[in-house]
Amino acid sequence: MDKREIGRVRAELDEYVSDVFASLARRDQRTKGSLYLQGLMLDGRRKSMQPMGDRLGIDYQQLQQFVSCSPWPVEPVRRKLVSRAIDVIQPEAWVVDDTGFVKDGPASPGVARQYSGSLGKIGNVQIGVSVHAVTDQASCPLEWRLFLPEKWDDACAETSEEAEHIAVRRQRAKIPDIAGHQTKWEQALEMLDELDTWGYRPQVMVGDAGYGEIGPLRTGLTERQIPYVVQVKATTSVHDVDAPFELPDSTGKTGRPFTKPSYRTKPVQARQYAGDLPEEAFEEVAWRQGSKGVLTSRFAACRVRPANRNLPKDADGTLPVCWLLIEWPENEAEPSDYWLSTLPESTPVAELVRFGKIRWRIEHDYRELKHGLGLDHFEGRTWLGWHHHVTLVTAAHLFITEQRLRGDPKAGGVA
């Protein structure tokens, strides 16, 4: 947006700021919140404090103090954003994902040499874990967590000297004592639990293989009665739904007889399972309109029993049944993607495919959050500052999304 475009939606923006920042106690805080949103939405290559201040014609230290130092809580603001996002987007699914924030030095909270999917390699990054409401037309982050590696948690230190060093780093970054190392999938479940306390639950949960491969995450979703469609690797082990489950044959030797049934065949990798399917098991499925036409590919959906060792069993000792969705594009030597899903047995293949592919919107909007709204431009080095910034970027993104979905011709934003 340019200043003229922001002027055209000034009334809507003022109403939005008044609603979203109603929990901020002071008027000057709400004013600075409005300025920060405008700074994020205004055209410009860099969305750090000083360039935004220059574009707004104000002292950038006002923004810096509001984001990095002012102790306003993010939870009430996020709760209001969630309410508005669910109302305007009408999500068909929620997606869990994470993204990297590249950093130059070691001081930013959570920064470490670690793998970042957005980089496609190991880099010096912070990792933000997020849950998004999504349709093919729009998405918006609902919640955020900053991933803390073990080297940022003094409880994980192996020596007292290392613990002291970590404690100093945490103090400088103003990380609260209650924030410790959690796996990303644990953070995902924690966010879902918090959103549930606010009155919101997903119809379907979607995630890439970084989350779908985690058996305890899938179990946690099932325990919460949240169906899922999650990507898994070709090496995921499964039994066919009809794999024999019975008492072993007697060996004829003396001794205690077998009393517990078990699977009589070994599980196979999803890759092998797909290769053993007949050609007619695959069908052409279209899932959405792309920029170059309708997107289609070949898919098979089969009922299987995932065989991970850490999965709970049903009361009769059998492994739970779910869908295995396989994409095998025409003329390719092997399948390209695999998903597991706990959607009902009656679910059409096209519906499984649609949910499996809906993550594209998150990848699209991550690019806009970063390149258009400066998600990864924050230069502060405090825990609260990071959470303030991602919350404000989410607010800016949702405002533009609301304008676009409501067909407002005055909205000229990036979303």
Side-chain angles (χ1 to χ4, degrees), residues 5 21 60 69 92 138 146 160 179 189-190 203 284-287 305 314 334 336 338 347 354 372 384:
E5 288 169 327
F21 296 139
Y60 76 92
C69 303
E92 298 169 351
L146 179 58
S160 57
L189 291 178
E190 181 182 82
Q203 298 181 51
E284 194 83 7
V285 177
W287 63 91
R305 301 177 187 271
D314 289 337
E334 62 180 30
S336 60
Y338 306 82
T347 305
R354 189 171 67 87
L384 187 58

Side-chain angles (χ1 to χ4, degrees), residues 101-403:
F101 299 71
V102 179
K103 296 296 176 181
D104 293 328
S108 298
V111 71
R113 294 281 300 171
Q114 53 191 327
Y115 179 79
S116 166
S118 48
L119 285 179
K121 61 182 181 180
I122 293 175
N124 191 61
V125 295
Q126 295 171 303
I127 300 292
V129 183
S130 51
V131 170
H132 302 245
V134 61
T135 67
D136 278 328
Q137 289 70 46
S139 76
C140 183
L142 301 178
E143 261 288 40
W144 289 93
R145 292 292 185 273
L146 179 58
F147 174 69
L148 285 180
E150 291 184 4
K151 62 179 62 178
W152 278 90
D153 187 346
D154 49 339
C156 299
E158 296 182 358
T159 66
S160 57
E161 290 81 4
E162 183 184 3
E164 290 176 6
H165 173 70
I166 293 173
V168 171
R169 294 181 78 195
R170 289 173 61 93
Q171 186 176 19
R172 288 173 179 167
K174 299 182 180 179
I175 299 174
D177 292 341
I178 60 171
H181 170 70
Q182 289 178 295
T183 60
K184 295 167 192 170
W185 67 265
E186 288 173 326
Q187 291 182 314
L189 291 178
E190 181 182 82
M191 285 187 280
L192 291 177
D193 289 341
E194 181 171 36
L195 288 160
D196 189 34
T197 66
W198 296 350
Y200 303 99
R201 289 172 57 85
Q203 298 181 51
V204 182
M205 200 71 207
V206 177
D208 65 12
Y211 293 90
E213 277 288 300
I214 308 299
L217 172 66
R218 302 202 307 266
T219 299
L221 292 173
T222 299
E223 290 172 346
R224 290 162 174 80
Q225 299 182 327
I226 299 173
Y228 58 77
V229 180
V230 292
Q231 205 162 8
V232 293
K233 296 179 181 178
T235 53
T236 294
S237 296
V238 298
H239 287 287
D240 185 74
V241 65
D242 294 323
F245 182 78
E246 55 196 24
L247 286 172
D249 294 333
S250 174
T251 63
K253 298 179 180 180
T254 60
R256 183 175 298 176
F258 294 112
T259 59
K260 291 184 178 181
S262 62
Y263 287 99
R264 305 306 307 278
T265 56
K266 292 183 178 180
V268 299
Q269 293 185 353
R271 180 191 290 115
Q272 179 182 336
Y273 188 93
D276 291 340
L277 292 174
E279 180 71 19
E280 56 268 23
F282 289 85
E283 60 182 278
E284 194 83 7
V285 177
W287 63 91
R288 70 175 176 88
Q289 181 74 36
S291 59
K292 298 181 180 179
V294 177
L295 301 177
T296 63
S297 188
R298 295 169 66 248
F299 295 88
C302 308
R303 301 294 283 173
V304 300
R305 301 177 187 271
N308 307 58
R309 293 181 179 179
N310 55 4
L311 292 180
K313 297 179 180 179
D314 289 337
D316 62 358
T318 58
L319 291 163
V321 179
C322 71
W323 286 107
L324 172 64
L325 178 66
I326 305 159
E327 180 180 3
W328 196 329
E330 191 77 39
N331 301 322
E332 293 295 330
E334 62 180 30
S336 60
D337 293 293
Y338 306 82
W339 296 261
L340 293 176
S341 173
T342 54
L343 285 171
E345 188 175 356
S346 59
T347 305
V349 176
E351 189 80 347
L352 294 171
V353 172
R354 189 171 67 87
F355 284 123
K357 292 291 189 176
I358 207 167
R359 278 192 62 256
W360 80 272
R361 186 74 217 189
I362 302 304
E363 296 168 355
H364 174 274
D365 283 356
Y366 261 144
R367 289 193 296 271
E368 293 183 337
L369 284 162
K370 287 188 171 184
H371 300 157
L373 294 170
L375 178 66
D376 59 348
H377 295 184
F378 181 61
E379 297 174 352
R381 296 178 177 179
T382 64
W383 173 269
L384 187 58
W386 185 89
H387 282 278
H388 281 165
H389 175 72
V390 299
T391 301
L392 292 162
V393 172
T394 300
H397 181 261
L398 179 58
F399 176 74
I400 294 172
T401 300
E402 286 186 5
Q403 297 293 304

